[in-house]
Amino acid sequence: MSSTGSSAVQTPKTFQPRIFSGIQPSGGITLGNYLGALKRFVEKQNEGIETVYCMVDMHAITVWQDPEKLRYATREGAAAFIAAGLDPARSILFNQSQVSAHAELGWIFNCVARLGWMNRMTQFKDKAGKNAEAASLGLYAYPALMAADILAYHATMVPVGEDQKQHLELTRDIAIKFNHDYGIDYFPIVEPVIEGAATRVMSLRDGTKKMSKSDPSDQSRINLTDDADAIAAKIRKAKTDAEPLPETLAGLKDRPEARNLINIFAALSDKTPDAVVAEYAGAQFGTFKPALADLAVAKLSPITTEMSRLMKDPAEIDRILGQGADRAEAIARPIVDQVYDITGMIRSRR
Ligand code: AMP
Ligand code: TRP
């Protein structure tokens, strides 16, 4: 293609399978992030698909972040990825702000997405709360930047937790509208990959609320930095009801806290929730909770230990992120350059 941006745009007709996903460094990594995202990211890497994973620091600042804490959380998130089994030689691991293609394509998508679409985003409503007037413009526009994160790589599959489903539908709408408006089959229509027993891990204090790094109560979540005693104590104190566990999953229908603990057990042990209920049918929480605590400690402690070892060498983490950013840039730059050509922007610099 000519560097002056002529109309000779090449259209990719088929898209090679590529996975993209991201995590915000807006706090520590929770068990929800681990089971809903990280653990599955590593599984995808091990299936041999090309995988691109990103600490989305530019998303994090849609809500004010202390700069030192943001840097720390970005490194800690990267350490969590690696400790959970991500191999930076096989997967691309980087932080978003080092690859400017994200912000550039994000702007283009701000001009593709419609206000009516953005107004339907439930995460904005949840995060902005009652005082939406005081929320940042970035928080409102955030799903368009998320679409850019994905589409700058022509990614075809996006593993996420259940809460991100609506943003992925928006990503599809943006791709469809861009393709339609410019009469070109340029962006793939991404597939959300929301699978497994723990697509929505709930708070340990309230089975109707998502486990979140921003919940004011630390008792509501397990952090990947919690030690064995803290994990066991949080599970022991987790809210439950007074009934024993039922014979089948259907018996957990109106018991969100019990259902959550079963799902966590299933995801940690790579079993189905059905199998876990069958195993503990009739058991009291006095039996089930210690078993879950042992399992959680056995699975999470090695990750926690490895994370703290990695965090002792921040320069090495930064080096990995920088190298990942170089590889990410090599994919995203030509894709976004082509978007400039498609949309009629002159590119005449050498
Ligand atoms: P975030 O921490 O909001 O950046 O989320 C990063 C990834 O973790 C996304 O794929 C989320 O869908 C996923 N995730 C976050 N919280 C949970 C949860 N409680 N249960 C399952 N997945 C989650
Ligand atoms: N919005 C996601 C979250 O809050 C994080 C994210 C940003 C993301 N860009 C992404 C996830 C691209 C998947 C793909 O959890």
Side-chain angles (χ1 to χ4, degrees), residues 196-197 244-266 271-282 288:
L245 287 167
E247 304 288 320
T248 64
L249 217 46
L252 290 175
K253 195 170 151 285
D254 297 314
R255 301 173 63 188
E257 284 86 11
R259 176 69 211 237
N260 187 39
L261 296 185
I262 292 286
N263 286 352
I264 293 173
F265 195 111
K271 291 179 181 160
T272 63
D274 285 294
V276 177
V277 169
E279 193 180 333
Y280 286 93
F288 181 70

Side-chain angles (χ1 to χ4, degrees), residues 23-24 32-33 36-37 160-161 163-164 198-201 210-211 213:
I23 294 194
Q24 294 196 52
N33 295 134
V160 283
D163 61 327
Q164 295 303 312
T199 56
R200 191 170 171 80
V201 177
K210 188 184 78 161
M211 182 181 286
K213 49 181 98 149

Side-chain angles (χ1 to χ4, degrees), residues 176-305:
I176 290 166
K177 183 163 166 59
F178 182 96
N179 290 348
H180 174 267
D181 288 357
Y182 292 98
I184 183 170
D185 184 20
Y186 189 65
F187 285 118
I189 311 306
V190 297
E191 286 300 328
V193 183
I194 303 172
E195 51 191 30
T199 56
R200 191 170 171 80
V201 177
M202 308 310 277
S203 156
L204 299 178
R205 299 261 113 216
D206 178 350
T208 63
K209 263 174 53 188
K210 188 184 78 161
M211 182 181 286
S212 163
K213 49 181 98 149
S214 57
D215 193 310
S217 163
D218 192 59
Q219 294 298 317
S220 70
R221 64 179 159 262
I222 292 173
N223 308 296
L224 279 198
T225 48
D226 286 345
D227 62 21
D229 289 346
I231 293 173
K234 285 177 179 178
I235 291 176
R236 211 168 40 241
K237 285 192 223 132
K239 185 177 167 198
T240 43
D241 50 44
E243 303 294 311
L245 287 167
E247 304 288 320
T248 64
L249 217 46
L252 290 175
K253 195 170 151 285
D254 297 314
R255 301 173 63 188
E257 284 86 11
R259 176 69 211 237
N260 187 39
L261 296 185
I262 292 286
N263 286 352
I264 293 173
F265 195 111
L268 282 171
S269 60
D270 293 308
K271 291 179 181 160
T272 63
D274 285 294
V276 177
V277 169
E279 193 180 333
Y280 286 93
Q284 301 288 342
F285 283 105
T287 308
F288 181 70
K289 279 180 168 179
L292 176 58
D294 286 349
L295 173 66
V297 168
K299 296 286 180 180
L300 302 180
S301 284
I303 299 175
T304 309
T305 307

